Amino acid sequence: MAPILYTRSEMAYLARRAAITLGPAIIKNHLTIRALTVRGAQGVTLGVIAAYIVLIAILWNIPYVRYVLWPFKMLVIAFHEFSHALASTCTGGRVDSISLDPHEGGVTHMRGGNSAITLPAGYLGSSLIGMLLTFCGFDIVASKVASIVLGVCFLFTLWWGKKDWLTVGTILAAVGLLVGFWFIAHAEPLRYLVLFIGVMSSLYSVWDICDDLILRKVNSSDASQFAKRYGGSSQCWGVVWSVVSVLFMAAGIVAGIAAFPETSAQQKSD
């Protein structure tokens, strides 16, 4: 039987048909295997995330005991203010300074920029950072990369907040913690530190919005300012931003499970 010969255009057509026919099935099977299979190390990470959520929720609401979270709260607030500053810079604004307040949180002094972007950027930006840190917290090498990126973000925050001692002290303490954990037990403690910061940053908007709009009703909150300028109620915008924050965190967890199936031993070897 003589061999069947195809022209180049016919070969390209057959390849496209094969991709159209088999592609969805291959992708579906691959995603099902990678995304829905929770291995041993991933199960431990999910358990740690659940423990972090419960621990942070308890400590956040207990008087006096809540001060245990104060250094990490200041760090997450730095993420919040950094996101405001970055959004302002990207939309043509100018950042004068960033300052952190041990009682009221933080403030970014900026001029210009698009307020429709800069106002929600604080909560949504810190939630996005939390999502990425949660994702990287599933793997040791990814956590190392995340710590380097965090260092770069800290440098910008340090520049904008160079006149505020609390901002400078918080950033330097965070950098020292990251560097110290890098060299302990193949950087496995660094992974759990990155994961903790990621979880707290992801859920910060939820807890802070509850504090500002439900418990204390702070009129100067980002959601209140956004509602005054663009309509709606501050509670409505707060709920929307909170839901987005939770969805960001869920996306980071699912992506971490899908991307890092290695065992703890394999991660240490890598």
Side-chain angles (χ1 to χ4, degrees), residues 105-123:
V107 60
T108 300
H109 300 280
M110 52 191 174
R111 290 175 285 174
N114 188 337
S115 60
I117 297 176
T118 58
L119 282 173
Y123 287 120

Side-chain angles (χ1 to χ4, degrees), residues 51-119:
Y52 283 165
I53 293 173
V54 173
L55 179 65
I56 293 172
I58 292 174
L59 293 179
W60 191 279
N61 295 287
I62 297 179
Y64 302 108
V65 179
R66 65 190 305 172
Y67 289 111
V68 173
L69 287 179
W70 184 82
F72 296 101
K73 184 178 179 180
M74 289 294 102
L75 180 59
V76 172
I77 291 174
F79 291 158
H80 180 103
E81 302 306 330
F82 169 79
S83 300
H84 279 308
L86 184 62
S88 176
T89 302
C90 291
T91 57
R94 178 179 178 180
V95 179
D96 293 328
S97 66
I98 288 177
S99 61
L100 303 182
D101 187 284
H103 303 293
E104 294 300 328
V107 60
T108 300
H109 300 280
M110 52 191 174
R111 290 175 285 174
N114 188 337
S115 60
I117 297 176
T118 58
L119 282 173

Side-chain angles (χ1 to χ4, degrees), residues 39 41 139-141 260-270:
R39 303 173 187 272
D139 182 76
I140 293 177
V141 175
F260 303 117
E262 297 85 4
T263 64
S264 297
Q266 288 174 324
Q267 291 185 22
K268 291 180 180 180
S269 176
D270 293 340

Side-chain angles (χ1 to χ4, degrees), residues 228-266:
K228 288 179 181 178
R229 296 191 183 193
Y230 301 103
S233 67
S234 57
Q235 288 81 2
C236 176
W237 288 116
V239 169
V240 170
W241 298 348
S242 297
V243 170
V244 172
S245 299
V246 173
L247 292 177
F248 276 169
M249 181 179 176
I253 292 173
V254 171
I257 294 173
F260 303 117
E262 297 85 4
T263 64
S264 297
Q266 288 174 324

Side-chain angles (χ1 to χ4, degrees), residues 28-42:
K28 180 180 179 181
N29 183 59
H30 178 72
L31 290 178
T32 300
I33 293 174
R34 293 297 298 276
L36 298 182
T37 300
V38 178
R39 303 173 187 272
Q42 295 172 332

